[in-house]
Amino acid sequence: MDISKLTDAAELAKAIPHAQALGMSFVEIGQGHAIMQLPYDEKLIGDPQTGVIHGGAVFALMDTCAGAAVMSHPDAKGYTATIDLRVDYMRSATPGQILRTRADCYRYGRSVAFVRAVAYDEDEARPVAVANGAFVASKGE
Amino acid sequence: MAKPEPVQLIKQRRDQALAGLVGAVPYIGFLGVTFDRRGDELTATLPFADRLIGNPLLPALHGGATAAFLEITALIELSWQTIWPQFETLKPDAQGNVAMPQIQMPKTIDFTVDYMRSGLPRDAYARARVNRSGRRYASVHVEAWQDNRSRIFAQATGHFLMPEMAAVPNAPSAGGAVSGAVGG
């Protein structure tokens, strides 16, 4: 899939079934960066006692956003795949609040692209999670 | 001295506890993850569904779905190991019912996923191993495969903060010091 042809961000999220199933959407796609959001939903709860959403949902949001940042890089041609991704959960996302994440592809190499991402809820001063990952880079076949 | 309980009762109690643990978490239900038990060994299954797809062209599982599956497997394994030793000490009430141990979920500190090959549009399986289990935090490794057990398609390592009240009683040196802190 060529991300440059999917200028409509809403269209892109719809093209990823799992992103759509979770309720993710794009806020912004730039040149090597992306911002996505995930509204709070009871189906995403990981801790039934507190209502905090599952780490897996945060991971999925950050992975999707990081992949979009890679594909939006000016050097990128075609799809990417995650090689590895580490997420540090710094605090629980506040139940009921929308979760946003920004990912930046800070290096697009011959075969590997490097990304970092930050996730936060309505309190933007205190990140919920940070992520670092390596993705497959393809400069066109 | 009370005679030992029939094996069916013990199995039923363990299966109920596992079902309670898994059934309480909405996100596990949303993804459709189930657990099989052989003694204390757990195997998680992620049945394939279209909503798990990340790349519709291949098609391949979404890395986020794979990661969540691995994290769920790690968290349930960790919780399971925490409650496992308590089964032997549970006493049935007058009606023969046993109050299951209530535990808080551990909190994920960090989680690192290694994607070794793309997830096929098929069922996936995973098992977790608790490599370090201390009072404050635990270190857990998880492996996931699909058709072939020896071809792992993703693995992960995570660190988890243990809930305050649940002292982890499975260290070899624990002796008789099994936590009595969990009521209910």
Side-chain angles (χ1 to χ4, degrees), chain B residues 68-82:
Chain B
F69 175 49
L70 292 167
E71 192 174 329
I72 286 165
T73 306
L75 280 163
I76 294 297
E77 177 69 40
L78 203 49
S79 302
W80 183 243
Q81 288 203 6
T82 306

Side-chain angles (χ1 to χ4, degrees), chain A residues 1 15-18 21-22 42-46 48-49 54-55 57 59-60 63-64 79 82-89, chain B residues 24-27 30 50-57 62-65 67-68 71-72 75 104 108-113 115:
Chain A
M1 187 186 313
I16 308 171
H18 191 58
L22 264 65
E42 285 182 0
K43 73 186 176 202
L44 304 176
I45 291 173
Q49 287 167 344
H54 199 280
F59 200 112
D63 181 51
T64 309
Y79 223 85
T82 318
I83 298 170
D84 95 318
L85 189 69
R86 173 191 168 113
V87 176
D88 292 324
Y89 299 93
Chain B
V25 181
Y27 197 58
F30 169 70
D50 285 339
R51 65 176 187 283
L52 303 176
I53 290 176
N55 181 338
L57 298 182
H62 193 290
E71 192 174 329
I72 286 165
L75 280 163
Q104 281 178 278
T108 313
I109 301 167
D110 60 67
F111 204 67
T112 307
V113 182
Y115 297 92

Side-chain angles (χ1 to χ4, degrees), chain B residues 3-131:
Chain B
K3 64 176 180 182
E5 288 184 280
V7 65
Q8 290 86 350
L9 271 180
I10 296 176
K11 277 179 149 176
Q12 192 183 43
R13 189 180 292 170
R14 289 173 179 172
D15 288 338
Q16 271 176 12
L18 180 60
L21 204 59
V22 173
V25 181
Y27 197 58
I28 297 180
F30 169 70
L31 286 179
V33 176
T34 58
F35 283 83
D36 285 328
R37 186 183 70 80
R38 300 282 181 279
D40 71 340
E41 183 196 67
L42 301 181
T43 306
T45 301
L46 176 68
F48 176 72
D50 285 339
R51 65 176 187 283
L52 303 176
I53 290 176
N55 181 338
L57 298 182
L58 289 175
L61 291 180
H62 193 290
T66 301
F69 175 49
L70 292 167
E71 192 174 329
I72 286 165
T73 306
L75 280 163
I76 294 297
E77 177 69 40
L78 203 49
S79 302
W80 183 243
Q81 288 203 6
T82 306
I83 60 170
W84 176 263
Q86 297 170 23
F87 289 120
E88 304 306 321
T89 59
L90 297 174
K91 294 280 182 284
D93 62 14
Q95 283 76 42
N97 296 318
V98 174
M100 289 299 162
Q102 301 293 312
I103 64 153
Q104 281 178 278
M105 280 279 170
K107 282 184 180 168
T108 313
I109 301 167
D110 60 67
F111 204 67
T112 307
V113 182
D114 201 352
Y115 297 92
M116 295 149 90
R117 42 179 68 86
S118 77
L120 303 171
R122 297 182 190 168
D123 293 1
Y125 312 98
R127 280 190 199 137
R129 188 178 68 232
V130 179
N131 283 329

Side-chain angles (χ1 to χ4, degrees), chain A residues 87-131:
Chain A
V87 176
D88 292 324
Y89 299 93
M90 292 145 80
R91 68 178 175 93
S92 298
T94 309
Q97 294 190 3
I98 198 164
L99 195 66
R100 287 195 183 78
T101 188
R102 181 193 163 106
D104 288 276
C105 176
Y106 58 93
R107 157 86 183 148
Y108 197 99
R110 200 202 310 253
S111 34
V112 183
F114 296 90
V115 190
R116 57 181 159 241
V118 189
Y120 42 89
D121 55 23
E122 286 166 22
D123 181 0
E124 295 184 14
R126 296 191 306 135
V128 166
V130 296

